[in-house]
Amino acid sequence: MKALKTLNQYFLRYKWRLILGIFSIIAARFFAVTVVKLVGDSIDVIKEYCDIEITYAQFIDDLQYYLLLLVGAVFLSGLFTFFMRQLIIVVSRYIEADLKDDIYEQYQRLSLGFYKKNRTGDLMNRISEDVGKVRMYVGPAVMYMLTALVLFATVIPYMYTDAPSLTLYTLIPLPVLSIAIYKLSREIHKRSTIVQEYLSKLTTYTQESFSGISVIKAYALETNTHQGFTQLSDDSKDKNLDLVKVQAFFFPLMIGLIGASNLLVIYIGGNQYIAGKIEIKTLVEFIIFVNMLTWPVATVGWVTSIIKAAEASQIRINEFLKIEPEIQNNTQVATPVKGKITFDNVSFTYEDTNITALKNVSFSIDTGKTLAIIGRTGSGKSTILELIGRLYDVTSGEICIDDTPLPELNLNDLRTSIGYVPQDAFLFSDTIKENIKFGAPNATDEEVITYAKAAAVHENIIDFKEGYDTILGERGITLSGGQKQRVSIARALISKPKIILLDDSLSAVDTETEEQILESLHQISEDTTTIIVSHRISSAKNADEIIILDDGKIIQQGSHNQLIKQEGYYKELYLKQLDEKEM
C-alpha cells in the first residue's frame, strides 16, 4: 500500500470530517449492539412471564419499556449510520474532485512533447477510471473496514463472554466466507478490467468513426466500418458475459455461508440450551450477531480487492504526477513583453523523432514590424513559431524577446502576450461568440464584432440563422476551412497581443479576403510584432522582412523587392504564382 500513502495529504485536508465519521461509526455500531442486547432482555421478560415469575401487568410494563428502548436504539443506530455515510462517502467525493483537479492541473503544466508521446484515451483513463478506483478506496473501502473493525471489537468480546464455545463454532464459516469473497472479487476485478479495455476500444472506434464520417461516406466504407464495430461489440458482449457469470456467484455464496453459520448456531446453540449451558436469549442474540457480522466479514475480501485495484491505479497516477514539465517557468516576477524578437544561431531537434528542424537560424525583428517566413513543407517554419511561444526549448543557440533570453521571461506573461493562429484551426463545441472570446473571456459583444470584421468573417457569421450564437460542432465542423481560420484569427486579435503568429492560417481563404485581412492586421496592430508563415507570396510581399527556409536553414533573406531581384527559391515561387494568377 506504499503508493496509497500519497492520499494521506487529502485525508489530512478533511481530517475533522473523517474524525466525526469515525465517531459516527463507533456510535452506530454501539447502538446496533445495544439493539441486540435489548432484544435479548425482551426475550427474558417473555420467559419470566411464561415461567409465571411476573404478573401480566408487570409483563406489559416491562415489554413496553424495552420496546421503547429498542425503537430508540434502532433510530439512533440508523441516524449515526446516515451521518457515517454522509461524512465518509462525501469526503471520498471531495478527495475524488481534488485528485481530478490536481491531475488536470498537471495536464496543463506538462509540455507539448508529453502529449505527442501519450494517447488521449490513456490520459482520459487516468482522470476517470483510475481516480474512480482510488475513490472506492478512500470512501467505501475505508468506511467498511472501520465498520468491520469496530463491530468485531464490540460484538466478539460480548459473544465470547456469554458463550465461549458457541462463539468459536459460530465464527468458523466467516473466514471461509472472507477468503471466498476475496478470490471471487479478484476474479471479478480481473474480468472487469478486460471489460473496461473493450469499452475503451469501443469508445475510441465510435469516436473516430464520428470524427471521420465524411471520409467514411466519401469512400463508401459504411459496411466495413459497421462490420468492425459489430466485431468489437460482440467481443465486448462476450467479455461482459464472462464477468456476469462470475458476479452471479457473489450473493448465492454469501447467502449460503450465512445459512451455514445460522445452522451451526441453531444446532450447537440449541443443544447447549437443552443441556442448560446457555439461556434462550443468548441463542437469539447469537443468531442476530451472526447475521450482523456476515456482511463486514464479506467486505474484508471485497475491500482487499478494492485496495489492490486502487493501488494499481494510484501507481499510474503517481507516475504521471511526478513527471516534471520540460518547459519550466523560471521566474515569478512579471516580465512585460514589447515584441522585439531575436534568434541567435538557433538549432532544434525534436526529441521524439530525432529530426533536426532548425540549423543555426539567426534573424531579428523589431517591435511592431512584420516578418514573413516562406519555405517548403518540413523546412522548419512552424517550429520557429513553437519556439517563440516556448512550447519547446532550443537545442542550441538562444532566442531573446526584448533582449531577454526566453527562459528568463515569466512563462505566463510570454504566452499571454502572444496571439497564435495554427494552420489547423481548433474550435470548441460552443457558440461562435464564445470561441472568439476564448482569447479574451471578458470581451464585450462589440469587441467580438469588431475583431470578427477585422478577420473578414463577420458577414459569414450574420448569415447564420443564430448569428454569433450559432453552436459549432466538434472541432468547429459546422464551419468551412476558411471560416474556421478567420474565427481563429479573430480569437487571436481580440486578446490584443504584443506578438501575432500566423502559421499558414490564410491558406484556406481566397486572395481578395487574404488582402483584406492583412490590411486589417496592419491597421489594428501597428505596434504589434507579426510573424506570418505562408506558402503564398501574396501573404509575404508587404512584410518588412522575409526569410526563406530550406531544410531548417535560412537560404534567403530580405524584403520582397530585394528577393525578386535575386535568383533563387523566392523568385521562382513568385513567378510561378504570378503565372497561376494570370491563368
Side-chain angles (χ1 to χ4, degrees):
M1 291 177 63
K2 288 180 182 178
L4 296 174
K5 288 181 180 178
T6 309
L7 298 170
N8 291 345
Q9 58 181 311
Y10 299 102
F11 285 129
L12 287 172
R13 195 175 297 173
Y14 301 103
K15 60 184 176 183
W16 295 115
R17 284 177 176 269
L18 289 169
I19 289 169
L20 286 173
I22 293 169
F23 171 77
S24 297
I25 290 173
I26 294 169
R29 294 311 99 196
F30 169 78
F31 285 110
V33 173
T34 302
V35 166
V36 180
K37 189 176 182 306
L38 288 170
V39 169
D41 291 340
S42 301
I43 296 293
D44 267 352
V45 171
I46 297 170
K47 184 176 180 296
E48 286 175 0
Y49 178 69
C50 291
D51 293 341
I52 321 178
E53 293 180 12
I54 57 174
T55 64
Y56 179 75
Q58 182 66 41
F59 166 68
I60 295 298
D61 287 344
D62 289 350
L63 197 60
Q64 286 178 342
Y65 171 74
Y66 283 116
L67 285 175
L68 285 172
L69 288 178
L70 192 60
V71 170
V74 168
F75 172 77
L76 289 172
S77 177
L79 183 65
F80 281 108
T81 300
F82 170 76
F83 287 146
M84 168 189 79
R85 295 190 66 84
Q86 281 295 303
L87 290 163
I88 295 179
I89 299 299
V90 168
V91 162
S92 77
R93 290 298 183 183
Y94 284 143
I95 292 175
E96 177 185 32
D98 290 347
L99 195 53
K100 284 184 176 180
D101 285 344
D102 290 345
I103 292 173
Y104 192 77
E105 186 180 351
Q106 176 75 339
Y107 283 160
Q108 303 300 300
R109 291 177 61 240
L110 289 170
S111 308
L112 196 60
F114 171 82
Y115 291 96
K116 290 187 175 181
K117 299 173 187 173
N118 291 275
R119 291 177 8 185
T120 303
D122 183 55
L123 299 180
M124 292 298 295
N125 249 349
R126 292 179 198 239
I127 205 170
S128 55
E129 293 298 322
D130 284 340
V131 172
K133 288 175 181 175
V134 171
R135 189 203 72 81
M136 289 296 291
Y137 160 69
V138 299
V142 168
M143 184 181 73
Y144 286 126
M145 283 302 292
L146 289 172
T147 300
L149 288 172
V150 171
L151 199 60
F152 292 157
T154 52
V155 170
I156 293 176
Y158 181 83
M159 292 171 66
Y160 191 80
T161 303
D162 271 10
S165 61
L166 181 58
T167 301
L168 296 175
Y169 281 115
T170 302
L171 297 178
I172 287 172
L174 297 184
V176 177
L177 174 62
S178 184
I179 293 167
I181 295 295
Y182 168 70
K183 290 186 176 295
L184 197 59
S185 297
R186 189 170 61 176
E187 188 62 31
I188 288 172
H189 169 64
K190 188 191 303 180
R191 299 191 184 199
S192 294
T193 303
I194 296 171
V195 167
Q196 287 297 331
E197 288 173 1
Y198 272 87
L199 180 60
S200 296
K201 289 178 183 179
L202 264 175
T203 304
T204 302
Y205 190 88
T206 50
Q207 183 182 7
E208 288 181 350
S209 298
F210 296 151
S211 299
I213 191 67
S214 57
V215 177
I216 291 170
K217 287 184 175 294
Y219 284 88
L221 292 173
E222 292 92 339
T223 303
N224 291 346
T225 306
H226 183 258
Q227 287 173 351
F229 178 82
T230 302
Q231 182 62 52
L232 261 178
S233 183
D234 287 343
D235 290 344
S236 179
K237 176 195 70 178
D238 293 339
K239 300 304 177 185
N240 271 285
L241 287 173
D242 289 343
L243 172 62
V244 169
K245 287 172 184 175
V246 176
Q247 286 176 328
F249 283 105
F250 191 92
F251 284 105
L253 176 66
M254 194 164 69
I255 291 167
L257 287 169
I258 291 172
S261 293
N262 282 319
L263 286 172
L264 279 172
V265 171
I266 293 168
Y267 178 73
I268 296 170
N271 285 330
Q272 289 185 357
Y273 171 69
I274 292 168
K277 294 180 180 178
I278 60 173
E279 297 291 330
I280 186 65
K281 78 166 189 174
T282 304
L283 183 59
V284 173
E285 286 176 355
F286 265 63
I287 292 172
I288 299 173
F289 279 137
V290 164
N291 288 276
M292 189 184 288
L293 284 171
T294 303
W295 173 243
V297 169
T299 60
V300 172
W302 179 59
V303 164
T304 306
S305 178
I306 288 177
I307 292 173
K308 286 185 67 176
E311 184 181 22
S313 292
Q314 191 62 43
I315 287 171
R316 280 165 45 84
I317 292 171
N318 289 347
E319 287 172 353
F320 162 70
L321 290 175
K322 287 175 184 175
I323 297 173
E324 283 298 320
E326 297 169 8
I327 307 300
Q328 296 282 351
N329 189 8
N330 299 318
T331 179
Q332 300 302 319
V333 179
T335 53
V337 171
K338 294 179 181 177
K340 181 184 177 183
I341 302 172
T342 305
F343 271 55
D344 182 14
N345 209 29
V346 171
S347 295
F348 177 73
T349 301
Y350 284 101
E351 185 182 347
D352 53 335
T353 60
N354 206 34
I355 293 173
T356 301
L358 295 178
K359 302 169 185 175
N360 304 317
V361 171
S362 298
F363 65 84
S364 183
I365 175 173
D366 291 328
T367 303
K369 298 297 183 181
T370 299
L371 171 71
I373 305 174
I374 290 179
R376 295 183 177 89
T377 301
S379 59
K381 305 184 298 298
S382 297
T383 302
I384 287 178
L385 304 190
E386 290 174 341
L387 292 177
I388 291 172
R390 207 173 164 225
L391 298 178
Y392 300 97
D393 278 333
V394 299
T395 305
S396 64
E398 186 176 63
I399 302 174
C400 293
I401 291 187
D402 303 329
D403 299 321
T404 302
L406 220 53
E408 295 179 18
L409 293 173
N410 183 295
L411 192 59
N412 186 59
D413 289 344
L414 169 67
R415 289 180 178 169
T416 53
S417 68
I418 294 174
Y420 177 52
V421 185
Q423 181 179 4
D424 183 16
F426 183 92
L427 299 179
F428 298 91
S429 299
D430 205 334
T431 63
I432 295 175
K433 183 200 298 182
E434 291 302 319
N435 268 283
I436 294 174
K437 286 175 69 174
F438 188 81
N442 298 320
T444 63
D445 290 352
E446 290 74 18
E447 287 177 306
V448 170
I449 293 171
T450 298
Y451 288 101
K453 287 179 177 177
V457 74
H458 173 71
E459 297 300 326
N460 295 118
I461 294 172
I462 60 175
D463 284 342
F464 293 134
K465 185 178 179 181
E466 301 295 331
Y468 281 87
D469 292 320
T470 301
I471 300 288
L472 301 182
E474 189 175 350
R475 299 180 66 92
I477 197 171
T478 311
L479 304 179
S480 68
Q483 289 168 344
K484 284 196 286 186
Q485 285 187 337
R486 283 175 281 161
V487 168
S488 295
I489 291 170
R491 179 169 64 190
L493 294 177
I494 202 170
S495 64
K496 300 172 185 174
K498 294 296 181 182
I499 300 170
I500 294 178
L501 307 176
L502 303 178
D503 188 2
D504 206 12
S505 50
L506 299 171
S507 59
V509 300
D510 56 76
T511 308
E512 184 180 342
T513 306
E514 177 187 38
E515 290 176 0
Q516 183 182 344
I517 294 170
L518 291 173
E519 179 60 30
S520 298
L521 276 173
H522 180 69
Q523 292 174 0
I524 288 177
S525 54
E526 288 184 0
D527 297 326
T528 303
T529 304
T530 305
I531 299 182
I532 301 172
V533 166
S534 181
H535 291 280
R536 289 180 179 175
I537 297 297
S538 56
S539 296
K541 65 182 181 182
N542 294 320
D544 298 294
E545 186 81 7
I546 303 169
I547 62 174
I548 314 301
L549 285 178
D550 184 37
D551 193 27
K553 298 176 183 176
I554 296 178
I555 57 172
Q556 286 183 283
Q557 188 169 355
S559 67
H560 172 73
N561 290 331
Q562 291 171 335
L563 291 172
I564 59 172
K565 294 175 184 177
Q566 300 175 11
E567 294 299 325
Y569 179 82
Y570 187 86
K571 184 177 180 179
E572 291 173 8
L573 186 64
Y574 171 71
L575 293 174
K576 179 183 177 184
Q577 293 184 1
L578 189 64
D579 288 342
E580 289 173 354
K581 187 176 180 181
E582 288 175 354
M583 288 175 66

